[in-house]
Amino acid sequence: MRKLLLFGLATIVLASCTTKPVRYTQNSPEIDAVKKHIANYNNKNYDTGIYADTSKTFLNTRKKAMTPNEAMDYHKQTDANYSNRGFKAEDQEYEMVVTDDGETWVNCWLDWKGTLAATGQEIEVPIHLTYRFAEGKVVRELGYWDPTEIVLALQKIEAQKNASEAEEEKL
């Protein structure tokens, strides 16, 4: 009887010591990959190595997906508007979660700052990015931010340019 009781206690202790898979963390290889990707963006290194070939990127949309190369081209095109731009180093938050369906996602909340080349106006925007990983590569990227301040500033620059051109034509 005593052996049975000890065996039962040992079984309970061993069962309670089993580790469960990590469902949430702030330290992982996937987070490190996203941090490197953010550093590449800041350095204007348009590397697509983080992405799977079939990855889809959605920036402020759920309808029009970009391939990894199209996403890098998007960044190169928008860079023309800025004398400098990038994610700020402070107050960055990263987390990795594994969903109930077993999907691995890295979420990050970052502050972006850019200086418009045409006017020197500085703009800061909070941005949320999330990356779904499969087999060590990003298979889906979602990015969300409010572009209103940037759009209005670029429209103002364009309107001033058009007004100047119209004045020159009158001369």
Side-chain angles (χ1 to χ4, degrees):
M1 181 68 162
R2 184 174 177 201
K3 286 183 181 181
L4 184 61
L5 182 61
L6 287 174
F7 179 74
L9 285 173
T11 303
I12 291 171
V13 168
L14 287 175
S16 66
C17 291
T18 59
T19 58
K20 295 179 182 177
V22 175
R23 301 251 344 241
Y24 172 87
T25 186
Q26 290 184 307
N27 295 296
S28 71
E30 292 85 356
I31 290 173
D32 292 341
V34 170
K35 286 180 177 180
K36 184 175 188 281
H37 181 63
I38 296 298
N40 282 343
Y41 170 83
N42 284 349
N43 294 321
K44 297 184 180 180
N45 176 2
Y46 305 102
D47 180 24
T48 59
I50 190 174
Y51 298 101
D53 292 341
T54 58
S55 181
K56 303 281 187 228
T57 296
F58 298 86
L59 300 177
N60 272 340
T61 183
R62 296 280 293 181
K63 296 179 181 177
K64 187 176 184 303
M66 292 184 274
T67 67
N69 287 328
E70 289 170 336
M72 294 305 112
D73 289 343
Y74 166 83
H75 292 304
K76 289 175 189 175
Q77 290 169 4
T78 60
D79 280 348
N81 296 318
Y82 305 101
S83 58
N84 62 58
R85 56 93 186 124
F87 291 101
K88 297 168 68 175
E90 62 274 357
D91 299 325
Q92 295 182 346
E93 293 292 331
Y94 296 88
E95 69 176 13
M96 186 190 85
V97 296
V98 177
T99 67
D100 290 344
D101 295 330
E103 295 179 346
T104 300
W105 289 85
V106 171
N107 298 304
C108 51
W109 295 267
L110 312 163
D111 291 320
W112 178 92
K113 182 178 180 180
T115 304
L116 290 173
T119 63
Q121 177 185 353
E122 290 186 351
I123 298 174
E124 291 189 31
V125 179
I127 295 181
H128 172 65
L129 300 171
T130 186
Y131 302 84
R132 180 172 171 232
F133 279 80
E135 298 177 13
K137 295 285 187 176
V138 172
V139 295
R140 187 175 182 90
E141 174 185 19
L142 306 167
Y144 297 103
W145 63 92
D146 179 358
T148 304
E149 187 176 1
I150 296 168
V151 170
L152 291 175
L154 292 174
Q155 287 175 340
K156 183 177 178 182
I157 291 166
E158 188 64 25
Q160 289 171 341
K161 179 182 166 188
N162 290 341
S164 294
E165 290 174 357
E167 273 300 311
E168 288 179 12
E169 287 180 12
K170 288 182 182 179
L171 299 175

